[in-house]
Amino acid sequence: MKRVYLTLAVALLSAGTMTISAAEKAADQKSEVKEHLQNHFKMYGFIRNYFAFDSRESVSGTGDLFYYLPKDVKMSEGVDLNATPSFRFLALTSRVGVDVSGYYIGNLHFGAKVEGDFYAGLSAASGSSASSYFPSNSKIGGTAQARLRQAYATLTWKDLPMGVNGKASVGLKIGQAWHPMAADHPHLFSLEVGAPFGPFSRTPLVQMDANLGDHWVVSGAAIWQMQYQSAGPAGASPIYMKYGMTPEMYAAVAYKSNGFLLRGGVDVVSIKPRVLGEKDGNTVKVSDRKTSVLGYVYTQYSYKKFAVKAKTTFGEGGEHMNLMSGYAKVGADNADGSWNYASLRNSSSWLSMSYGKKWQGVLFLGYVKNLGLAEGASDSPISKDQVYFCGNGFSNINQMYRINPQIIYNIGKLNVGLEYQWTSVQYGEYDNNMLNKYALADKNLHWVGNHRVNMMVKFNF
């Protein structure tokens, strides 16, 4: 009997030891998983509410929170129908994302980002009666659905030898990310962050950034279109790039030193506005193509609590980045049925200054000038239907400016901001639906402005 008790005791002791070992192993595995997640995955995001008042009917998106510009005068029996105030508040621009880092093989490092918010799914007022009762029928109602903002992978080769004692690194980004011309933002909490006074776009791309020593960066990218699109005869669409079979090409060089950064770059877009045309009453394939070149300079400087940023773009087109520009069909049809095109020129600039940390004051100034075609298309005016302009603007815009002061209170993870925004546009009148030979509206030039008061409450996590 003693032997039986002894055998049972040994069995129980062994089982207990095995249970303790299994529990310790499970705890170790749980700790390893937790440590792995902490070392390689960083979740971030925020809950953000905007409260916005406009004194005038305007062009705006994302539930009217992304502001572009005030609409032109629309008179009826001596009353401007667009001089109508409005108000709204929404939380649909709340965001969540994950950064992945810390994986490497030798000096090759891997990373990734996935980021989304809740924009898609908003709908306009239904029924033909909406435009009879209200001056606008914008998409402001419905249940917001999740959408993809950014999703890309990165490969970075670090500590590459350069010269005698220098080091270089080369990074490759593949996926959807900020357009490299739109990645530099002013110090604004408003959703449009300076658009349309500067480029704004997130888009599929393959981008290379080479850091050559401590001061110089050389960049290049091949870019496609998705949400932000070129204009054309079929409306705004990525189809013109699809059949053009030519990615948008970007190149830039930057210098940085002690809080100072200076970058300059150029962007080239070549698209096919049409594949099919008409010749002698028959449908034929045509050789249409439109190419535009846009350049920019960006600089920033920071010292203690003060920071200043500035950007200017000049060149052709850029409507696919929300710039107030585009292109036009010029001249008569060619013998083979193809059309000729000329890009509108545009100058867009902004200046942003910020001071403070807990209490932060911001001043933004922006200016846009529509310069029209470089040379007159002909001795005849151009129909406005032959001008393919940014869908968030109008081809009779001559110039516009914005003055935008903000004050932001930062307390821990909470940000509360208040801004006043004055945006004024100089419109011209169409002459029997025609523009002059430079594709500009130059008759009865007049200014129209909007007062926007916007408050933001944002909790970061």
Side-chain angles (χ1 to χ4, degrees):
M1 181 63 77
K2 290 182 179 180
R3 290 181 180 178
V4 173
Y5 288 146
L6 181 60
T7 302
L8 290 173
V10 171
L12 289 172
L13 182 61
S14 300
T17 303
M18 291 175 64
T19 302
I20 294 173
S21 300
E24 290 177 345
K25 185 176 181 180
D28 290 341
Q29 290 177 342
K30 185 176 180 181
S31 177
E32 289 177 3
V33 171
K34 182 178 180 180
E35 183 179 355
H36 181 86
L37 292 174
Q38 290 176 341
N39 291 340
H40 299 288
F41 294 83
K42 180 182 179 182
M43 186 176 180
Y44 65 91
F46 51 76
I47 308 300
R48 180 169 60 183
N49 284 268
Y50 284 115
F51 303 76
F53 163 83
D54 289 310
S55 65
R56 183 177 185 81
E57 192 64 30
S58 300
V59 180
S60 52
T62 316
D64 283 350
L65 300 179
F66 192 114
Y67 189 82
Y68 289 102
L69 48 85
K71 291 184 178 180
D72 198 1
V73 174
K74 185 179 181 180
M75 300 300 296
S76 176
E77 296 188 359
V79 176
D80 181 3
L81 301 181
N82 283 332
T84 304
S86 61
F87 176 77
R88 83 287 297 151
F89 62 88
L90 295 168
L92 61 85
T93 63
S94 299
R95 187 178 306 165
V96 65
V98 177
D99 284 325
V100 183
S101 62
Y103 295 99
Y104 60 91
I105 300 175
N107 65 345
L108 176 58
H109 293 244
F110 303 89
K113 176 189 284 287
V114 178
E115 181 181 87
D117 63 5
F118 305 94
Y119 162 73
L122 297 186
S123 59
S126 60
S128 59
S129 62
S131 60
S132 301
Y133 300 133
F134 299 95
S136 176
N137 189 21
S138 57
K139 295 182 178 180
I140 60 171
T143 300
Q145 300 173 3
R147 70 160 178 175
L148 182 70
R149 278 175 56 89
Q150 299 189 81
Y152 60 80
T154 61
L155 291 83
T156 306
W157 289 264
K158 295 185 177 182
D159 298 325
L160 301 176
M162 188 186 75
V164 179
N165 297 316
K167 294 288 185 180
S169 65
V170 177
L172 191 65
K173 181 188 297 182
I174 305 173
Q176 172 154 318
W178 280 102
H179 192 295
M181 282 191 72
D184 304 307
H185 299 155
H187 311 90
L188 294 176
F189 68 72
S190 45
L191 190 60
E192 69 275 4
V193 287
F197 299 90
F200 187 100
S201 172
R202 290 180 302 274
T203 193
L205 54 74
V206 177
Q207 180 175 340
M208 182 276 298
D209 296 295
N211 290 271
L212 308 178
D214 297 328
H215 302 294
W216 293 96
V217 182
V218 176
S219 302
I223 303 166
W224 210 248
Q225 291 183 7
M226 192 181 76
Q227 179 182 357
Y228 303 95
Q229 307 159 353
S230 294
S237 174
I239 198 170
Y240 312 117
M241 182 168 283
K242 171 185 175 180
Y243 286 99
M245 299 189 298
T246 304
E248 180 180 350
M249 303 305 296
Y250 166 88
V253 60
Y255 175 81
K256 55 183 180 179
S257 177
N258 298 324
F260 172 77
L261 172 66
L262 177 65
R263 181 188 298 115
V266 64
D267 188 78
V268 180
V269 179
S270 185
I271 59 175
K272 286 184 70 68
R274 298 186 312 157
V275 171
L276 302 177
E278 185 176 322
K279 177 184 176 183
D280 299 329
N282 299 316
T283 300
V284 295
K285 286 189 175 181
V286 293
S287 57
D288 291 26
R289 183 168 288 274
K290 192 278 297 183
T291 301
S292 60
V293 181
L294 184 67
Y296 82 102
V297 175
Y298 169 79
T299 187
Q300 68 179 41
Y301 175 73
S302 60
Y303 179 74
K304 295 184 178 179
K305 295 183 179 181
F306 174 75
V308 60
K309 300 179 181 180
K311 176 182 280 188
T312 183
T313 63
F314 175 81
E316 304 168 334
E319 77 280 0
H320 65 296
M321 292 185 283
N322 284 295
L323 296 179
M324 293 294 106
S325 192
Y327 62 99
K329 173 186 179 293
V330 295
D333 296 4
N334 296 318
D336 61 354
S338 63
W339 292 354
N340 298 313
Y341 304 91
S343 293
L344 296 170
R345 296 170 303 143
N346 171 278
S347 174
S348 301
S349 303
W350 57 259
L351 171 68
S352 169
M353 294 177 287
S354 171
Y355 182 81
K357 295 296 183 182
K358 186 173 183 179
W359 283 96
Q360 183 181 6
V362 173
L363 177 62
F364 173 88
L365 304 173
Y367 179 74
V368 167
K369 176 65 175 177
N370 180 6
L371 299 169
L373 304 177
E375 297 181 3
S378 64
D379 293 332
S380 303
I382 300 174
S383 169
K384 72 173 187 178
D385 295 331
Q386 295 178 337
V387 177
Y388 310 115
F389 204 78
C390 175
N392 296 308
F394 306 95
S395 59
N396 62 328
I397 291 175
N398 188 284
Q399 58 185 325
M400 61 183 293
Y401 70 88
R402 178 175 295 169
I403 301 173
N404 186 0
Q406 295 185 349
I407 186 167
I408 307 167
Y409 180 58
N410 302 302
I411 176 171
K413 294 182 177 295
L414 184 69
N415 313 122
V416 179
L418 180 67
E419 74 168 348
Y420 166 73
Q421 184 184 103
W422 167 254
T423 304
S424 186
V425 179
Q426 186 186 48
Y427 287 100
E429 284 188 0
Y430 296 108
D431 187 3
N432 293 321
N433 290 325
M434 304 295 285
L435 300 163
N436 67 18
K437 66 179 183 179
Y438 297 99
L440 293 172
D442 57 359
K443 296 183 179 298
N444 189 23
L445 296 175
H446 56 282
W447 289 92
V448 177
N450 176 67
H451 302 276
R452 166 167 276 217
V453 179
N454 188 27
M455 186 180 78
M456 177 200 69
V457 178
K458 177 183 175 186
F459 179 80
N460 304 278
F461 59 84

